[in-house]
Amino acid sequence: MPAETPIAQLNMAIEPAAADETPAAVKAKGIGVIGWVAAVWLILVVVVAILAPVLPIDDPEAPGAGRALPLFTEGHVLGTDSSQRDVLSRLVWGARASLTVSVGAVAMGMVFGGTLGLVSGYRRGRIDTILSSLFDVMLAFPQLVLALSLVAFLKPTAPQAGAGEVVEAAGGLTTIQILILALGIIAIPLLARITRATSLTWSQREFVTAARAQGAKDLRIMIREVLPNALPAMFSIALLSVGIAIIGEGALSVLGMGVEPPAPSWGNMIAENRSVSRAPLNALFCPVIALFLTVMALNYLGDAIRARFDVRESSL
Amino acid sequence: MSTAIDARPAEGLPVDGEPLLVVDDLSTTFATPRGPVRAVEHVDLSLPRGRTLGIVGESGSGKSVLSRSIMGLMPSYASRTGSVRFEGVEMLGADHSTLRKVWGAEMSMIFQDPMTALNPVKKIGNQITESIKEHLDYSSAQRRDTAIALLRSVGIPEPERRLNQYPHELSGGMRQRVVIAIALACGPALLFADEPTTALDVTVQAQILDLIADQQEEREMAVILVTHDLGVVATRADEIAVMYGGRIVEQAPTATLFREMRHPYTEALLRSIPRLDLPSHTRLEAISGRPPDLLHPPAGCRFAARCPYAQDRCRTEEPPLVAEPGGRADHLYRCWYPVGIAREQTTLDTIAEEAHVREPGDEQAVDLELVDDDAVEGNVD
């Protein structure tokens, strides 16, 4: 693309921070090579997770495929685990569980944390003081401990003895819903803080005063003027938080508080297979690698998106 | 013209012949952690429809606070006393919903910096139609037509295309035109222009000021033009109020103010305008010192500390804002020893004459002399 070279150089000069990440010529067009690789991986994971019921794969919970088969076995590309279950199928279904939990939790954090943060940052004054202290108190708890106690608190006590039973709590919450709730409560202060900080700065811009001077209501100013400007930062943090929530679910699973076996999630696949010390280690490493790649992809995509939006702002 | 103007409810309605805007003894105080800051004190103004009032002063003189106090766009830690009557209605104690109906529809404001006065993530068209949506019962097609008409009237080419553009796609002057279009959207009776040209190129400044003047004439708006630039108000304002330290120190019709200024601060402001007719490298006259600390305002005249003519009385007793006995009733000033009465007349004309007396050969000497003068002054300080 020789025709673009001067523009590309110009861009490189203007935004060196973004330019050292990816070639500037590509950068000028969108989210960069790494951003696209990350996006493709994430789309793949999401599509596979959504299509899990219709994909031609084995039942993830049914044993009988042969014990601890290595990679690339006929019929089981990723082998099987020590309980004779197909790893690929468990990985796909595990992605479904992990993504549901993490995206659900972050969505909950976005909605509640975002709203509280927006109000807090826009209103300032006493409301801000109260809400900010609330976020600080919530952040002061060690997050894993808080998540553990929330799950323990929300989980019905009785069916814990009967392993493998589909959990139907008194409140009608499934394990997935409990995990979403627990991790969502942890995500709320994180997202609230970011939203508050960004809306605080945007609320002091002159266009907000201008909107007031045009007779706009507070609610309208918050939603129409401040929120669209705070969204890039919120989304960027939300993407990172999805990664954190996937790991969080994994950590809870390792501690026995995550998705109930035999239903797979990436976390409890790692938990189940962490004691395997002999080859083949595919049952342990497949979910680890999938989790690693997904969290990395989320991080890079978050960065790329933020960099992209920064360009738009710096051109102002 | 755009339909927005015709739709304005009930033209004018001057109550008992009262001017559009009457400000009576308005004071604004900011509560700060270090104590109350009296940013604006005892301001009286009145402004009939179609006229322009210039508010002039340096940074921190309270001119922007004054315009926002009149409008009521104040942060929560500010308190106002006195009275602001707009179209005969008291605005000072008015509740928020009443104010919201007036803001944008009846009085609106052009902001200083078009870079920050527009929302970067919203299209121009939406930003213009926003307040129309708020105040007038228009269909979306009518709103769009109004927005196009507005953009055309503020001199933006291809308005249809601009509607779908974002602020960063426009130049600074264009953006300020958009800001003006937004302010004019609902056909206000009173327009505040808070340093509307400060952030713009000199070449664009005049265009923007002309634009405001044209729109004012067309819509019979009253305009309050806030600026630190006497050159801006000289040809645009009918009346000028000079502010210093939160107070109006001199107020007069424009011609009178420039011809017979009475307050030393006004004089100093005029002297500090760079003059093309002076020889090059002439030292620019500045007002030495800084504006008073409004946390602890001085006891006497606010300007006494920087005033070359200050005497003991100035430092202890604050002069009232009064008209000269036997002089013009509309020329008010706040000085015990007004310029041009206590001493020989010093006006813009005489400054200009002095300048022309200088011979081309004197330039070098003049420069040296000025530099020397300055050095001596520095020593005294």
Side-chain angles (χ1 to χ4, degrees):
Chain A
M1 40 193 80
E4 275 184 26
T5 316
I7 298 164
Q9 280 169 348
L10 202 65
N11 275 355
M12 197 141 61
I14 293 167
E15 23 139 5
D20 62 21
E21 213 174 329
T22 49
V26 182
K27 182 78 214 164
K29 284 196 172 158
I31 54 178
V33 171
I34 293 184
W36 277 113
V37 170
V40 167
W41 169 257
L42 288 175
I43 290 168
L44 180 78
V45 170
V46 169
V47 167
V48 161
I50 290 171
L51 295 181
V54 297
L55 288 176
I57 48 176
D58 295 356
D59 183 343
E61 296 178 28
R67 195 178 144 80
L69 297 173
L71 291 176
F72 310 119
T73 313
E74 175 88 42
H76 306 286
V77 179
L78 295 181
T80 57
D81 65 5
S82 51
S83 306
Q84 309 190 11
R85 296 171 300 197
D86 182 50
V87 171
L88 177 65
S89 133
R90 285 183 70 73
L91 207 57
V92 169
W93 282 90
R96 203 174 158 88
S98 290
L99 286 180
T100 311
V101 168
S102 55
V103 171
V106 171
M108 183 175 151
M110 275 280 261
V111 171
F112 291 99
T115 310
L116 293 175
L118 187 62
V119 170
S120 170
Y122 176 73
R123 283 289 177 143
R124 281 172 278 176
R126 196 168 298 155
I127 294 176
D128 182 30
T129 315
I130 294 169
L131 288 174
S132 299
S133 340
L134 189 72
F135 306 150
D136 286 342
V137 168
M138 286 172 81
L139 283 172
F141 286 106
Q143 292 176 4
L144 191 60
V145 176
L146 181 59
L148 266 177
S149 31
L150 281 170
V151 174
F153 173 73
L154 292 166
K155 225 174 191 173
T157 42
Q160 244 177 358
E165 198 119 342
V166 177
V167 180
E168 199 64 49
L173 291 175
T174 63
T175 315
I176 298 271
Q177 285 166 340
I178 289 170
L179 284 171
I180 289 176
L181 216 57
L183 292 171
I185 287 172
I186 290 169
I188 286 174
L190 280 173
L191 281 151
R193 284 268 288 251
I194 290 294
T195 314
R196 173 185 171 272
T198 42
S199 27
L200 198 63
T201 57
W202 285 106
S203 298
Q204 281 155 1
R205 291 294 186 97
E206 208 151 47
F207 64 80
V208 171
T209 320
R212 274 185 70 206
Q214 290 300 312
K217 294 186 191 74
D218 279 344
L219 185 66
R220 184 189 204 106
I221 296 177
M222 276 196 269
I223 293 171
R224 301 289 305 263
E225 308 286 338
V226 181
L227 184 62
N229 285 293
L231 272 181
M234 287 170 72
F235 268 120
S236 173
I237 291 297
L239 279 177
L240 299 187
S241 304
V242 170
I244 296 170
I246 292 177
I247 294 175
E249 187 275 327
L252 288 176
S253 295
V254 171
L255 294 169
M257 291 299 225
V259 174
E260 301 264 328
S265 82
W266 289 351
N268 72 16
M269 287 171 76
I270 297 170
E272 279 169 12
N273 294 296
R274 74 194 145 155
S275 53
V276 176
S277 53
R278 297 176 282 108
L281 292 170
N282 53 333
L284 175 59
F285 274 98
C286 285
V288 168
I289 290 167
L291 194 142
F292 172 78
L293 286 178
T294 306
V295 174
M296 284 287 281
L298 285 164
N299 277 299
Y300 276 111
L301 189 64
D303 276 356
I305 286 178
R306 204 191 45 224
R308 166 120 171 77
F309 279 96
D310 276 351
V311 173
R312 189 215 56 204
E313 209 208 314
S314 71
S315 74
L316 267 176
Chain B
M1 257 329 293
S2 113
T3 36
I5 297 94
D6 304 329
R8 190 168 63 221
E11 185 67 36
L13 285 182
V15 179
D16 307 332
E18 194 179 83
L20 181 72
L21 176 77
V22 178
V23 177
D24 194 12
D25 196 32
L26 178 67
S27 298
T28 300
T29 310
F30 292 109
T32 70
R34 293 184 299 145
V37 171
R38 304 177 68 83
V40 169
E41 276 188 297
H42 308 301
V43 167
D44 301 301
L45 292 171
S46 72
L47 187 61
R49 198 178 274 278
R51 306 273 286 176
T52 303
L53 171 71
I55 301 179
V56 185
E58 66 194 289
S59 306
S61 61
K63 55 190 193 303
S64 286
V65 176
L66 174 60
S67 65
R68 288 180 193 213
S69 300
I70 295 171
M71 193 158 173
L73 269 182
M74 304 301 289
S76 56
Y77 51 87
S79 61
R80 296 178 295 163
T81 58
S83 154
V84 175
R85 284 193 307 284
F86 178 72
E87 292 184 326
V89 181
E90 178 61 50
M91 302 303 294
L92 209 60
D95 60 32
H96 205 246
S97 63
T98 314
L99 282 175
R100 239 184 7 239
K101 287 201 188 82
V102 174
W103 285 347
E106 295 290 307
M107 46 167 106
S108 62
M109 186 175 267
I110 299 170
F111 289 86
Q112 175 177 351
D113 189 354
M115 307 295 156
T116 59
L118 294 172
N119 191 338
V121 297
K122 277 169 64 185
K123 288 177 180 169
I124 305 285
N126 289 340
Q127 304 202 38
I128 296 174
T129 51
E130 196 91 309
S131 74
I132 303 175
K133 211 186 279 179
E134 191 79 40
H135 296 292
L136 304 170
D137 197 13
Y138 277 15
S139 71
S140 71
Q142 277 176 308
R143 286 201 295 267
R144 196 185 133 85
D145 292 344
T146 312
I148 291 172
L150 277 164
L151 284 178
R152 192 168 287 131
S153 75
V154 296
I156 288 183
E158 297 181 81
E160 292 86 355
R161 197 163 64 86
R162 304 290 172 191
L163 287 183
N164 291 321
Q165 287 187 323
Y166 288 94
H168 71 265
E169 297 175 70
L170 303 182
S171 68
M174 283 289 182
R175 272 185 245 181
Q176 191 63 306
R177 285 169 192 268
V178 172
V179 170
I180 293 173
I182 293 172
L184 296 176
C186 296
L190 173 61
L191 181 71
F192 293 88
D194 188 357
E195 307 212 24
T197 58
T198 308
L200 300 175
D201 275 354
V202 187
T203 45
V204 184
Q205 285 187 2
Q207 296 171 12
I208 295 293
L209 289 168
D210 287 340
L211 170 64
I212 295 175
D214 290 347
Q215 295 295 324
Q216 172 179 24
E217 201 171 323
E218 215 161 281
R219 295 158 191 241
E220 230 206 324
M221 279 187 305
V223 174
I224 292 185
L225 187 58
V226 179
T227 178
H228 60 255
D229 188 347
L230 272 174
V232 167
V233 285
T235 52
R236 319 273 168 181
D238 299 305
E239 192 175 6
I240 294 178
V242 180
M243 287 199 73
Y244 186 79
R247 299 182 171 230
I248 291 182
V249 292
E250 185 160 13
Q251 185 177 357
T254 307
T256 314
L257 187 91
F258 278 92
R259 203 156 300 282
E260 300 162 21
M261 75 208 70
R262 291 286 180 253
H263 200 279
Y265 179 62
T266 315
E267 185 202 39
L269 271 184
L270 275 175
R271 278 178 178 278
S272 61
I273 299 176
R275 301 176 56 83
L276 289 174
D277 50 1
L278 291 185
S280 53
H281 299 294
T282 305
R283 183 62 71 105
L284 185 63
E285 286 213 35
I287 309 174
S288 61
R290 282 185 303 162
D293 178 8
L294 293 178
L295 262 176
H296 312 286
C301 172
R302 295 280 158 97
F303 190 57
R306 302 166 76 182
C307 180
Y309 318 119
Q311 303 187 20
D312 287 345
R313 189 184 183 191
C314 300
R315 298 193 180 86
T316 52
E317 213 179 326
E318 174 152 26
L321 185 67
V322 287
E324 189 180 313
R328 296 182 58 130
D330 55 1
H331 186 181
L332 308 172
Y333 54 89
R334 202 185 270 281
C335 187
W336 294 123
Y337 306 104
V339 180
I341 292 182
R343 287 165 298 96
E344 87 180 71
Q345 191 94 351
T346 317
T347 64
L348 197 59
D349 297 339
T350 59
I351 299 168
E353 277 162 28
E354 275 169 28
H356 288 301
V357 168
R358 289 186 180 127
E359 297 295 322
D362 293 346
E363 281 180 24
Q364 195 62 35
V366 169
D367 276 6
L368 284 174
E369 199 181 288
L370 282 167
V371 170
D372 282 346
D373 273 352
D374 199 62
V376 172
E377 253 182 61
N379 286 342
V380 172
D381 282 345

